[in-house]
Structure formats: C-alpha cells, structure tokens
Amino acid sequence: MKYPLTPGMKDLVLEAPLYRKLESEFMELLLSQGFSEIRTPILEAKELFVRSVGGDSDIVSKEMFTTEDGLVLRPENTAPIVRALLNDQELPKKLVYFSPQFRKERPQKGRLRQFYQYGFEMFGETAPQSELEGLLIIDQLYKKWGLTNFEIQVNYLGNTQERENYLTVLKEFLTTNQDKLSSKSKERLSSNVLRILDSKDEGDQLVVSQAPKILDYLSPESSQSWNQFLDTAKSLGLNLIVNPLLVRGLDYYTGMVFEVVDTSGNLGSQKALGGGGRYDKLMQDLGGQNLPAFGFAGGVERLVLALNKPIEPNDRQSIGLITTENLVLPMFVELKNKFSNLNIDICFNTKLGFKKMFKRADKLKCSKVIIVGSSELQGGFVKVKDLATGNEAILNISIAQLDLNNL
Ligand code: AMP
C-alpha cells in the first residue's frame, strides 16, 4: 500500500455515528449541570506539559509528538485548560471537553496514538465538594451509557506534609527490597518513588503489596475527613472502592485520585475507562493564583470496547433517486426542495440502467429509493421502495409532506 494508515491512528467511518452520539449525550449531561464547553488548540508549548504533567511521567519522557519549534500535539487537556484560565481569569470555572489527544504509545487494543477523551475540570471548590459533585456526574454518565460492569476506585495522596512523610518511609522500604524490583522501578527510586506503586511488572507488584500504605500515614484530621468523604459518598449512593495503590501517572495530583475501571474483563490490561482527581497546586505551579481544582478524563475508544455493542454496518440513512428519465437533475432538485424533510441525497446516473442503479443504491446503503419512470412523471406520482424490507408504495408528488417512514 502506498499510503498506509499511520500506526495507532484510525479513520472513523462506521464508528462515527456512535462517537457523535456519545459526544452529544456527554455534552448534554454536563451542560445541564452548569458546565461550559472549551475547545483548546491541538498544538501547545512542550514546556506546559513538562511543568504540569511532570518530566518523569511516561507522557512527557517518551510519548509526546514534538515539533522542531518546541510545540507538541496536546497529550491531555488539563494543562491546556489551566493555561487558558491563567490567560483569562474571567473564563467559566466549570469546563467540559470532548476532543482528540495524542500520545506516542505502543499501539494495542484500547491504546492508540490518537484517541478521544471526554472530560471536565472544576475550579474554585475545595474538597470534598467537587469530588462528590464530579463522581456523581461520572456515575450517572456511565449508567446512562448502559455500562454495568465498572467500579470507581479511589485513593488519597495526602497533603504535602503527609505525602513527604510517606514518601520517606516508602522509599526506605523499596530501597531495602530493590533487588526484587524491575530496572524501571529501580530508576524511579530516585526520580518518582510513588509511581512504583502502579507498576504493571509482576515482581514489582509483589514487593508493592507488602509496602507501607499512604492511608496509614495521614494525620488524624486528614484521616477523619477522608473517612467522612467516603461515608458521604456512600450515603449519596456512590459505591467507591478504596485502592491504596492507585497513584495515577501524572505529577499534578494532590488529595483524592480516582479511576473508573471496567470489570467485564473485555478490555484486557487497558481496563481504565477514565480517571482524575484533585490538583490544587497546579495553577500556582504554573505561575497563577491559588485556585483549587478537580478534573476527570475518560477514553472514548475504551468506552466503545466496554459498551461491546456491535457497530451496525448497515446504518441505512440515505434516500436515493432512481429514474430512467433524462430530467434527472431538475427532478432531483425539485424533489429535494419539495420534500426538504427527507434526506434525498443520492441521484443515480440514468445511463446505468435500472438494475445497476438498484445494486448501487444497496451498496451505498440507501434506506429507500424513490423511483420515477415516464408513467410516474405523467401521472404526478412516484414509487418509493424500502430497501431493507422490500415494501413499495405509490406516493402522490402533490402531497406537500411525504412521510416515508410509514410505507
Ligand atoms: P489519562 O489522561 O492518562 O489519565 O487517561 C485518561 C483515560 O484516557 C484513560 O483511562 C483511557 O481511557 C484514556 N486513554 C489514555 N491514553 C490512551 C491511549 N493511548 N489510547 C486510548 N485511550 C487512552
């Protein structure tokens, strides 16, 4: 093939109507909850992600598509939204998006180089206000999409002091056991100890299962508010599963982090449908004011896999016009104008002959064809055939509104 598809990228045709549906359902829900849509540029300064997501994160260390002049294809949308808010503090504080992101990852099932994310960010509210509001929306969203096999896992990363104390103990423990760690995790002992907790390596996981847990290193006040948060969530009907090993891959999280995990087993190792958490320091770290924040992002491709619905190839929508007469173009325009409520969008070449026109209409997945022959023209009527059922009906052209759905 001369121009093969770039690895990890997809042409969306059959899935396009499903993507459109998911987008509109997501937007409808979030807009009804006081969110405003934001569309950020696809290209951003590389430095934005180095400063926010973190230099040691997988995204920044190896997954960004970078241009010669220091720009990157947006790998995620939280940092660009914080940047937008830094530039214009008057922007609404609850923002929602549905957009493609780009990461140079090894393509596999549920892992692409261009993928779509649906997500939102909430600024200005401290814990646990946005946590509860956000998680309730997420729970509602997945249920609305008909997903039954999922769970929301949560963890608390502590305040700055608690996290520092915990990191000292964790590093000590992991250093003592470093001969059992993978080489990547050994490297992380000096660069980002916390990330060792969510290593996918089996040997690492065995060591980590014995490691001290952050929830045991919280101050009594933090411990109390964390338990209170869990109780309130439960009373609101949220079934949260505490996973003390959940840290998420990005550096900017503080406080509560969470992941929505598919439990059907259909997604293999890429079972995280989405995730997020609190990031109260990011705005300040990027040079702005102190503004608490909470966000979520989910992946559309994994959602489509989890929904596990066959994508109907015969999404028949078009209506074709088949005629043996030479008046084909005026007829097409007249019918199209007259019945503007119909989607008459394909006009077949009369030179093809009747049979071939039908074949072509079928191939192009027309739901119905309008047939106009010489007797029809003289009589002022048309024949309509439903290509899925084979039903036919004669319709009078002079009737102002044809209802082709009731053949
Ligand atoms: P993250 O921004 O890494 O927290 O990812 C949030 C969600 O986006 C994940 O839970 C996935 O559903 C999705 N996602 C992340 N990376 C990819 C990828 N390379 N391909 C497909 N989906 C992805």
Side-chain angles (χ1 to χ4, degrees):
M1 205 179 300
K2 210 166 177 190
Y3 301 107
L5 194 61
T6 308
M9 313 260 165
K10 273 177 35 174
D11 293 317
L12 296 170
V13 183
L14 287 182
E15 296 102 324
L18 178 57
Y19 273 55
R20 194 168 348 112
K21 182 168 168 279
L22 294 171
E23 174 170 3
S24 70
E25 287 171 351
F26 175 67
M27 281 297 170
E28 195 183 311
L29 177 66
L30 272 289
L31 296 181
S32 76
Q33 308 272 332
F35 284 76
S36 306
E37 183 178 1
I38 182 164
R39 298 185 186 213
T40 64
I42 283 176
L43 281 175
E44 292 277 0
K46 179 177 179 182
E47 196 51 28
L48 175 65
F49 300 101
V50 177
R51 290 275 307 277
S52 55
V53 178
D56 182 59
S57 64
D58 287 346
I59 292 182
V60 171
S61 63
K62 55 184 187 200
E63 292 171 0
M64 292 202 293
F65 288 97
T66 311
T67 71
E68 279 169 5
D69 34 5
L71 299 175
V72 292
L73 293 182
R74 170 186 69 198
E76 59 100 59
N77 233 357
T78 300
I81 291 175
V82 171
R83 181 212 31 78
L85 211 61
L86 272 171
N87 296 347
D88 180 359
Q89 293 174 14
E90 299 305 311
L91 286 184
K93 301 292 180 289
K94 286 167 82 176
L95 293 160
V96 58
Y97 61 89
F98 188 106
S99 58
Q101 320 293 355
F102 304 84
R103 294 183 196 172
K104 211 189 289 172
E105 301 201 66
R106 190 171 56 80
Q108 52 182 294
K109 182 176 168 187
R111 192 169 279 283
L112 289 112
R113 290 183 159 193
Q114 174 172 340
F115 57 98
Y116 284 76
Q117 278 187 336
Y118 47 95
F120 61 80
E121 314 293 339
M122 304 159 82
F123 298 93
E125 298 284 0
T126 49
Q129 175 69 27
S130 343
E131 278 83 342
L132 292 168
E133 190 183 338
L135 289 178
L136 280 170
I137 292 176
I138 291 162
D139 192 53
Q140 192 184 346
L141 182 69
Y142 285 110
K143 286 180 179 155
K144 175 176 161 153
W145 276 330
L147 222 67
T148 44
N149 296 314
F150 73 92
E151 63 186 31
I152 303 177
Q153 299 185 357
V154 293
N155 192 20
Y156 184 70
L157 298 181
N159 62 31
T160 315
Q161 189 57 52
E162 291 159 346
R163 190 146 35 147
E164 250 172 49
N165 294 347
Y166 172 63
L167 284 178
T168 312
V169 187
L170 180 66
K171 193 170 178 174
E172 233 170 67
F173 173 86
L174 293 172
T175 309
T176 317
N177 291 281
Q178 64 174 302
D179 49 328
K180 296 179 215 139
L181 291 178
S182 66
S183 52
K184 181 78 203 165
S185 288
K186 271 189 201 134
E187 269 171 43
R188 286 199 159 131
L189 273 175
S190 49
S191 59
N192 194 340
V193 185
L194 212 52
R195 288 294 318 279
I196 301 176
L197 293 187
D198 70 359
S199 163
K200 300 282 175 287
D201 179 274
E202 277 181 22
D204 289 348
Q205 286 179 349
L206 209 65
V207 178
V208 159
S209 66
Q210 311 291 321
K213 308 284 182 290
I214 187 153
L215 296 175
D216 298 327
Y217 290 81
L218 301 183
S219 66
E221 299 79 51
S222 285
S223 221
Q224 197 190 4
S225 35
W226 175 241
N227 286 324
Q228 240 165 29
F229 159 71
L230 292 175
D231 285 347
T232 316
K234 197 169 175 187
S235 71
L236 291 171
L238 282 169
N239 182 21
L240 306 180
I241 313 284
V242 177
N243 174 0
L245 299 180
L246 186 71
V247 294
R248 314 262 307 125
L250 325 182
D251 272 4
Y252 50 63
Y253 289 113
T254 53
M256 195 273 252
V257 288
F258 70 98
E259 221 156 64
V260 184
V261 179
D262 177 83
T263 52
S264 70
N266 291 337
L267 270 74
S269 59
Q270 309 304 322
K271 56 184 195 279
L273 294 172
R278 181 160 284 283
Y279 53 96
D280 285 348
K281 297 268 167 3
L282 183 55
M283 184 68 97
Q284 253 181 336
D285 285 352
L286 293 178
Q289 71 203 105
N290 180 6
L291 193 63
F294 178 86
F296 162 76
V300 179
E301 287 71 16
R302 289 187 203 174
L303 173 65
V304 170
L305 287 173
L307 289 173
N308 200 22
K309 285 209 184 100
I311 301 204
E312 284 296 328
N314 61 343
D315 187 14
R316 290 173 179 269
Q317 280 171 350
S318 307
I319 294 189
L321 178 67
I322 285 184
T323 178
T324 49
E325 300 303 300
N326 289 330
L327 284 171
V328 62
L329 190 59
M331 171 70 64
F332 180 51
V333 174
E334 193 191 326
L335 282 173
K336 218 171 146 62
N337 288 340
K338 189 160 187 131
F339 307 118
S340 53
N341 61 323
L342 305 177
N343 181 22
I344 302 175
D345 49 5
I346 303 175
C347 182
F348 294 95
N349 187 340
T350 47
K351 294 194 186 88
L352 279 177
F354 236 59
K355 219 171 150 189
K356 277 207 172 138
M357 281 193 272
F358 265 106
K359 264 199 172 155
R360 187 72 61 89
D362 209 42
K363 205 166 168 199
L364 292 173
K365 307 202 183 309
C366 289
S367 59
K368 297 184 177 69
V369 287
I370 299 180
I371 305 151
V372 187
S374 54
S375 51
E376 279 92 348
L377 260 186
Q378 277 168 15
F381 60 90
V382 293
K383 198 188 271 177
V384 181
K385 182 171 176 142
D386 185 318
L387 292 185
T389 61
N391 289 348
E392 282 185 6
I394 302 286
L395 297 174
N396 190 329
I397 315 186
S398 63
I399 301 172
Q401 291 289 304
L402 277 183
D403 185 2
L404 295 191
N405 292 324
N406 289 322
L407 276 192

